[in-house]
Amino acid sequence: MNNMIVMPMIIPIVTGIFLIFLRPYVKAQRVLSIVSIFATIGISVYVLNRIQIDGILRLDFGGWLPPYGILFVADSFAMLLVVTTAIVTGILLFYAFSSVSKAFENMFFYPFVFFLLAGVNGSFLTGDLFNLFVCFEVMLLSSYVLITLGGRKVQLVESIKYVSINVLSSWFFLVAIAYLYGTVGTLNMAHLSVRVAEVGQGSLLTVISIIFLIVFSLKAGLLLYFWLPGSYSVPPTVVAALFGALLTKVGIYAMFRMFTLIFYHEPGITHKMIGVMAAVTMIGGCIGAIAHNDVRQIVSYNVVIAVGFILVGLAVSTEVAIQGSIYYLLHDMIIKALLFLLAGTMIYLTGTARIEQMSGLIRNYPILGWLFFITMLSLAGIPPLSGFIGKVYVGQGAIEAGAFGLLAIAFISSIFVLYSLLRIFMNCFWGETIINEDDDVPLKKGILIPCVLFGILTIALGLGAEGIAVYVSDAAHTLMNPEIYIKAVLQN
């Protein structure tokens, strides 16, 4: 039954291929997309629960035993992200049904969403470093198409920057893989952990680890985030939400996996660098979020702030802090999707992205207004919403490790997040309405319901944090004890 591990990647790939041939039939594409995403969610939840019974699961492709063959490894950390990815993508598909035109749907939108999903899930599940690179490329190639769909001039301008930086980072990724293989002679992650521990993380391996850190920082938007605000603010709303919820999270996942499993021997260098980069990222993100008056730019800079906050847990590297980062990572995937949807919906209703040109929206669209209010509180970490538990655990871990400077920056950033979103709320939703009855754009149920579903999820994740505590605790314990992962992979 370990064959089930590969299904969260196989189902989206097969679905994407079928959807290419169904291009003229939009309704058929929608039905197949929903059936596929429900199947992916069901199998992912099943595998996540099996891990709690049987431990970490492994699938060896072609019967080749590790460290020689290609393999997928499913632990609680990977599967939590796979489940959340599938749920977020499913809700965004419902939003797409009502928000994008049929012409847009006919431009292979659905196939590339599923190819993107396959790349994301494959990145979470692979146990081999080269296949991590391959899955990254599948994800990125799909994102190159999605960011340019629509063909507006601003999309093409930003896509050049986006593609260029990712091609460069992919080249660095290959260089790092080549040097690592030349040094220790393997690319299996568990075997890499053993080999690095055997030879010791000397100066050469530490330099290689820093190259990997640069690569994943470019992917995640850690410090090197200059490409992110523009790239995430130009695509159609549903694509921007997909990017904001998923793409940076793959880079974050790769950093957690690399620096808890393989390069954890020199925390005074690597983890300290991550801490400094996280602090600078949060500061830069806060400045960007309060400096702009464009809703899309403010939302994009909030993605940057979250990246820095999540990686505080990795920089601190205590089990409690790691738990906090995992909670916050799951929360951020949900809440950023919702935030991008709300921002895009506001622009759709008013025809502008400038906050000074919007006013009184809550009078015309009260549900939208209160959903934005809930999102704002959740991102600020107000209990009992989903952002609270992650911030508490990260703070507790930082105190245990004595990282008070990092803790102060992390929590001050929450105030800036609250301020940046409060500006939008006060300017755009309160005051005299700018929309008269004749200009009132009806808010489709197909647009509102996905936003409500995300709002329910952020409340449920906050109130029901105890329900996923066993999974998060197991994920953090496995990350902090690499021998558990190594034993599950290398024990034949």
Side-chain angles (χ1 to χ4, degrees), residues 19-20 22-31 33 92-113 146 149-150 236 238:
L19 288 171
I20 289 173
L22 292 173
R23 181 190 175 191
Y25 311 104
V26 171
K27 287 186 179 179
Q29 287 190 72
R30 292 177 178 181
V31 170
S33 297
L92 290 176
L93 283 173
F94 278 110
Y95 185 90
F97 296 161
S98 297
S99 65
V100 300
S101 65
K102 285 192 176 181
F104 189 85
E105 290 176 295
N106 280 329
M107 284 192 278
F108 300 107
F109 169 68
Y110 295 116
F112 281 102
V113 167
L146 290 171
L149 278 186
V238 68

Side-chain angles (χ1 to χ4, degrees), residues 39-176:
T40 305
I41 292 169
I43 289 171
S44 302
V45 170
Y46 168 76
V47 173
L48 178 61
N49 282 301
R50 262 200 67 198
I51 292 167
Q52 310 313 309
I53 300 167
D54 300 332
I56 297 174
L57 303 176
R58 185 187 90 211
L59 175 63
D60 305 318
F61 291 99
W64 287 87
L65 296 176
Y68 304 106
I70 297 169
L71 77 162
F72 270 18
V73 183
D75 64 353
S76 292
F77 184 39
M79 287 313 302
L80 277 169
L81 295 178
V82 168
V83 169
T84 310
T85 296
I87 292 171
V88 167
T89 306
I91 297 174
L92 290 176
L93 283 173
F94 278 110
Y95 185 90
F97 296 161
S98 297
S99 65
V100 300
S101 65
K102 285 192 176 181
F104 189 85
E105 290 176 295
N106 280 329
M107 284 192 278
F108 300 107
F109 169 68
Y110 295 116
F112 281 102
V113 167
F114 277 92
F115 291 141
L116 180 81
L117 179 60
V120 170
N121 285 346
S123 300
F124 292 148
L125 291 168
T126 186
D128 178 273
L129 203 52
F130 185 76
N131 284 298
L132 178 64
F133 168 78
V134 171
C135 292
F136 259 88
E137 292 309 299
V138 171
M139 174 189 75
L140 289 171
L141 286 170
S142 304
S143 70
Y144 298 158
V145 176
L146 290 171
I147 197 174
T148 55
L149 278 186
R152 292 182 300 125
K153 183 179 178 181
V154 66
Q155 284 180 265
L156 298 176
V157 170
E158 288 297 335
S159 67
I160 291 170
K161 186 195 305 180
Y162 177 76
V163 172
S164 300
I165 199 66
N166 277 294
V167 168
L168 181 65
S169 67
S170 294
W171 181 81
F172 273 109
F173 198 171
L174 275 178
V175 169

Side-chain angles (χ1 to χ4, degrees), residues 229-399:
S231 300
Y232 281 25
S233 61
V234 295
T237 299
V238 68
V239 175
L242 198 64
F243 284 12
L246 303 183
L247 293 193
T248 56
K249 309 309 181 289
V250 181
I252 291 170
Y253 167 83
M255 270 190 272
F256 270 88
R257 189 64 80 190
M258 290 291 288
F259 291 97
T260 59
L261 179 64
I262 301 169
F263 298 116
Y264 60 88
H265 304 280
E266 293 289 344
I269 300 173
T270 53
H271 291 63
K272 191 170 184 179
M273 281 186 67
I274 293 169
V276 171
M277 292 168 77
V280 175
T281 300
M282 286 186 285
I283 293 168
C286 290
I287 293 170
I290 62 173
H292 284 88
N293 288 327
D294 186 303
V295 174
R296 294 167 300 190
Q297 291 283 337
I298 296 170
V299 169
S300 297
Y301 274 104
N302 271 277
V303 173
V304 173
I305 298 169
V307 170
F309 186 89
I310 292 164
L311 286 161
V312 169
L314 179 59
V316 171
S317 277
T318 66
E319 192 162 321
V320 173
I322 296 287
Q323 282 188 47
S325 289
I326 295 170
Y327 271 119
Y328 203 83
L329 186 56
L330 301 178
H331 144 81
D332 200 62
M333 292 170 78
I334 293 166
I335 207 69
K336 284 302 186 301
L338 175 56
L339 188 58
F340 274 96
L341 292 191
L342 293 174
T345 304
M346 289 163 61
I347 294 167
Y348 160 74
L349 294 171
T350 61
T352 180
R354 307 289 297 180
I355 62 174
E356 68 271 17
Q357 295 174 6
M358 301 185 203
S359 181
L361 287 178
I362 203 164
R363 296 172 185 268
N364 302 80
Y365 311 102
I367 296 176
L368 193 72
W370 293 116
L371 275 173
F372 191 92
F373 184 71
I374 290 169
T375 303
M376 177 180 70
L377 296 183
S378 186
L379 277 166
I382 306 299
L385 300 170
S386 59
F388 172 70
I389 188 74
K391 294 203 172 189
V392 168
Y393 276 135
V394 168
Q396 183 182 337
I399 291 169

